[in-house]
Amino acid sequence: GNGITRYTNNTNGGPVFVYVKDGKIIRITPIEFDEEDAESWTIRARGKSFTPPRKTTVNQHTLAWKSMIYSKDRLLYPMKRVDFDPNGERNPQNRGISGYERISWDEAYDIVAGEIRRVKQQYGPGAIMNGSGSHHTWGALGYWLSARMRFFNALGWTQIVHNPDSWEGWFWGGMHHWGFSAHNGGGESYNTVEDCLQNAEMVVFWSSDPESTSGVYGAHEGTIRRQWLKELGIPMVHIDPFFNHTAALLGGKWLAPKPATDSAMICAIAYVWISENLYDKDYVEKRTTGFDKWQDYVLGKEDGIPKTPEWQEAETGVPAKDVRALAREWGKKKTYLAAGGIHGFGGACRSATGTDWARGMIYLMAMQGLGKPGVNMGGMQQGTPVDTRFFFPGYSEGGMSGDLFGTGAAVSMYQRLPSAPSVNSVKQIVPRLKIPEAIMDGHCEGYPTDPSTIEGQFFKFAYPAPGYSPVKMYYKYGGSHFGTMCDTNRYVKMYATESLEFVVNQGIWFEGETKFADIILPACTNFERWDISEFANCGGYIQHSFTQVNHRVAVVQHKCIEPLGESKSDFQIFSDLSKRLGLGTVFSEGSNEFDWCKRYFHATDLPYNVSWKNFLKKGYYVVPPLPESRRDPVAFRWYAEDRLKDTPELTPLPGDYSGEYKRGLGTQSGKLEFESSSLKRFDPNDPERPPVMKYNPSWEGPHSELYQKYPLLLLSPHPRFTFHTQSDGKDSTLNDIKDHRVLIDGYYYWIIRVNPDDARARGIKENDLIKAYNDRGAVILAAQLSQRIRPGTVHSYESSANYDPIGKPGKSPDRGGCINQLTSSRMMIKKSHSGAYNSCLVQIEKWNGEGEEL
Amino acid sequence: MKKWHLIIDVEKCEDCNNCFLACKDEHVGNDWPGYTLAQPLHGQRWMNIERRERGQYPLIDAAYRPTPCMQCSNPPCVKAGKGSISQRPDGIVQIDPVKAKGLKEVVKACPYNAIYWNEELQVPQKCTFCAHLLDEGWKQPRCVQACPTGALRAEQVEESLLNDLIESQQLEVLHPEWGTHPAVYYKNLYRFNKCFLAGSVARMHNGAEDCVQGARVKLFRDSQQLCETETDAFGDFKIDRLEENSGKYRLEIEFEGSSKRIEDIEFQASLNLGVINL
Ligand SMILES: Nc1nc2c(c(=O)[nH]1)N[C@H]1C(S)=C(S)[C@@H](COP(=O)(O)OP(=O)(O)OC[C@H]3O[C@@H](n4cnc5c(=O)[nH]c(N)nc54)[C@H](O)[C@@H]3O)O[C@H]1N2
Ligand SMILES: Nc1nc2c(c(=O)[nH]1)N[C@H]1C(S)=C(S)[C@@H](COP(=O)(O)OP(=O)(O)OC[C@H]3O[C@@H](n4cnc5c(=O)[nH]c(N)nc54)[C@H](O)[C@@H]3O)O[C@H]1N2
Ligand code: SF4
Ligand code: SF4
Ligand code: SF4
Ligand SMILES: [Ca+2]
Ligand SMILES: [Ca+2]
Ligand SMILES: [Mo+4]
């Protein structure tokens, strides 16, 4: 009514209703279900019934979308750097310094298509490099794994390959002890919400703040479930150097280890269990291997040091008595362990000791009987009783990419979404954390993020690949890396490299890194184009990730408004460029975005339940849950009871079972391995990753020489209010959140949280501007004094979208807030491609207002 | 006539700011004629979230208090508004953007600092309780709809029913002494405006320091015992809802025959006594 149309769309933080009037979005709200929509499930536990509310929840960043769509930082027309001339002086040294002028789409396409042709002809395959963020505006077709893959496969490209950023320690460590390579080292989580409510007697949140991270894409769906835990009076423990928001909401005991020292605490817990007989001996004997070696290490038989609670106190700073009390409670009570916001995550897995922490998490659960009633992993974030059988592919399945190797298309899509397969003919790849080395030094090495089998990660590769051209052109998609990669002054400096002849950036906003391109192509948001998707379904490596939500919701992402200014959808830009390059139908197969939505709809199970017309009209469909009697089996129950795997997933691959198909885990023994057989095969003498986990102090921490100069440990977890860089800056409403940025003298500064003791010692008061620095860089931040951070540690979220150097780019303090200018680019272990963000030493001082050269 | 009330549970608020952002989504860039002009993109906090941390590392808690216009039933702003501010029969206090143009002084009339000055449009502005939506049939304002924890509840109730709620849920208002009679009620406000006394009880046991579970902890003022509690598995105790600056206290801790007294505890704000060895 009132000339208002209510559309639907979807975001990283939940599906939404979008109210549009006169071609303008007026509001964006969560979806409230009606009587037509499927019923909700009910869990019965301890005499109570629990049913989720009849609506979807949303995240903070979702509610800021309107302000991001109409942001003054939107790119509204193509632009060219003023001193860039493709036929004359290119002035790469001025990237990030000189300004832009508006050009027409025709001009922009001419330059970009011309450069694509030129570098291919002049240098040969491999000269074009492209990469993306790990994330994107929501939608299975628009996603970077979809249209973008198909376009670049058509060109042949040097792909920037991602480190397993979210998983790190689980991928490079945990996987070797329990398999789950297809989960990047995280485990399975089926139906654990019900089991936890019914059977658990305690929940330990370890490096886990789902109230901030929502698992991933889970909106606030898990919040009510954790409130049920509280209602049932189930005690909770939070192990985190920061008194995080899950702890603040739910209460419970807070243990605050120094960052990246957790593996010492793990050893001490095991020590108490072993010496006080508080572990599941029967399970350890029957369901695990290599326990003796672990026991010898823990008791000190191997190195003469018993790993007592007193021993760990010197490392973690957590009193011995508290660790002993925790171990005893845990040993006596059926306990759920939430390691990270969801399985396979957690800031502790992104530190110098990340592999050991993840390994240790698995060890502790192996000692307590993982899979027995009430003994499992999770913090109510995954494992709701939704219907996992209903097929709707997530974004990792590759959308319209048809890409057989870089996405899940070959596994999940090809028989459902008929389309021409697409394959990249260029075999050269560049590790994302080493893009600067590839460009500036001309060479680098990496290890692959290959989830198909445990051994996939052992295949070391090098850039340049034999016979390929070095990179001459960087087709950048989005502009996040200054805020999200490590030691990011490297990324800034890289842009001035002479041999990098051309940089084009296709983005939605003028972000910190966007300003370093020669040509800028303006893309539109998902509210300005057609797409289709499901709530919290990313598919692939987080199989059945939609078990984070209370109701599975499939969504038509209506094109709610026309693209702003001259911006176009990424699909359209790729399509237009393809046409100019004579690759039009190779890219689009003659279908436009709307056609592709319809094709995608028919690739799902939706047509069995709802017609395309009705789906299109209503905008969403709620997948009914299975009846209570047919709910999925609980994760790992089959394993604890030594039955064939009965949870609804097909991994590991048949060849990765040493014995009978579906019997046991993906390890060589099929069991939980305290001593990893894959690491023994690969490199038994690697001191950084021995086959049995040991406590190795962080290479950047209290034991380092650097500690004298930089005595504060910097923690940089995922930003609570934004989704990485995507919703920060951009003049969005999020900037006004008191706990996100602080307005001081007309400038929105990023926040650093400092314990009052550390602040006092440096004469720092609330809202003082401070400089946080080390040998890698300096960032100007607003100080927030808080007892929530343990003394000696400072806390500042990663993922500023702004980069605002006070002087020369890459060589002066940044007041935009890119905290990752300070983090180390050292791999957590040498034989990996990994970020150890949470092992970082800094000093802070009041800022004197100057921008001296670094 | 039933009146609108907002009931805010401080214990359930996790500072997610969904309420704050939903409010901005609704009001930034949108004029709602007859109700309010658009809220500016930056600067105003119709739903203002205040933060309070209590205690000292590592025995602390953190609470957040969302603070919108109180929709007072005895509103000082109406008196100061020279006819431009009025109260609807359903209790919602409204600023008429046309009549209130230029009336900067009403900003000061609100003791809760809930009115903001729009410099560009020269009007005072505040939370409207989303009256434009309620009048269209919406069941709740935007902030309530977006709140994931149930910390916010909008209720349209008769005065008598409200009194039951106030009693059964121990609801409080901010600054009752001002006599403004807010329609915004708070539950568990102690998390914000009262203090706690906490500590961790330990003892040597078999040659090592251990947490003491089940120690009896009694709090006295003068000779009067105020309360008694027990330590948990980590030896921690927490006595809450104490007044700031309320004088000298004495603590007695007993466990298996041994006992300890701590005299003359004086505190201005919440206090973590640290580890107390028996
Ligand atoms: N210090 C520290 N750093 C970390 C981490 C940490 O824990 N600590 N965590 C790491 C982890 S787990 C991750 S996943 C990474 C994430 O790091 P990134 O993946 O680099 O961050 P995003 O912000 O997700 O990047 C998305 C980019 O894509 C652009 N974009 C989004 N949608 C579209 C679209 O539709 N079209 C176009 N053209 N562009 C679009 C955005 O504008 C943005 O520039 O950060 C890592 N960095
Ligand atoms: N709002 C929001 N949600 C997000 C994202 C976002 O950017 N914004 N990103 C999404 C993505 S891509 C991912 S991968 C997930 C990440 O999800 P997680 O990896 O679970 O999140 P983090 O914030 O990195 O870490 C969780 C907690 O670990 C703590 N921590 C850090 N280092 C240590 C340590 O050494 N020891 C211990 N014990 N604790 C430590 C941090 O203080 C933090 O409270 O979040 C997803 N959800
Ligand atoms: S939405 Fe609810 S939980 Fe979030 S800040 Fe507001 S009142 Fe608190
Ligand atoms: S809180 Fe302030 S603005 Fe709101 S009704 Fe009371 S006096 Fe008026
Ligand atoms: S009731 Fe409406 S106007 Fe008032 S704070 Fe909530 S959303 Fe804003
Ligand atoms: Ca146990
Ligand atoms: Ca294998
Ligand atoms: Mo991630």
Side-chain angles (χ1 to χ4, degrees), chain B residues 114-147:
Chain B
I115 304 183
Y116 295 83
W117 183 246
N118 186 325
E119 192 61 48
E120 198 193 331
L121 304 175
Q122 291 290 306
V123 284
Q125 291 181 292
K126 69 167 189 72
C127 159
T128 62
F129 215 83
C130 289
H132 68 294
L133 293 176
L134 300 177
D135 290 353
E136 265 184 26
W138 282 55
K139 301 278 181 290
Q140 319 159 308
R142 287 291 307 274
C143 52
V144 178
Q145 184 196 37
C147 177

Side-chain angles (χ1 to χ4, degrees), chain A residues 510-581:
Chain A
F510 215 42
E511 295 174 310
E513 192 179 356
T514 318
K515 300 178 190 158
F516 286 72
D518 303 327
I519 296 289
I520 297 175
L521 304 178
C524 68
T525 72
N526 55 308
F527 294 86
E528 299 150 76
R529 57 174 175 81
W530 285 101
D531 213 322
I532 181 170
S533 63
E534 186 187 344
F535 188 4
N537 186 352
C538 57
Y541 36 73
I542 314 181
Q543 274 194 52
H544 300 136
S545 58
F546 51 74
T547 73
Q548 292 178 88
V549 304
N550 292 323
H551 306 84
R552 287 190 68 180
V553 188
V555 188
V556 183
Q557 298 189 205
H558 292 125
K559 178 177 178 178
C560 305
I561 54 169
E562 287 301 317
L564 294 196
E566 287 183 7
S567 68
K568 295 176 193 235
S569 69
D570 292 301
F571 177 99
Q572 197 57 51
I573 297 172
F574 291 140
S575 185
D576 293 348
L577 275 173
S578 300
K579 272 186 213 147
R580 284 192 182 236
L581 292 163

Side-chain angles (χ1 to χ4, degrees), chain A residues 134-135 165-167 216 345 350 718 724:
Chain A
S134 300
H135 309 280
D165 46 14
S166 313
W167 297 267
V216 62
F345 287 7
R350 283 174 229 106
H718 287 226
H724 289 292

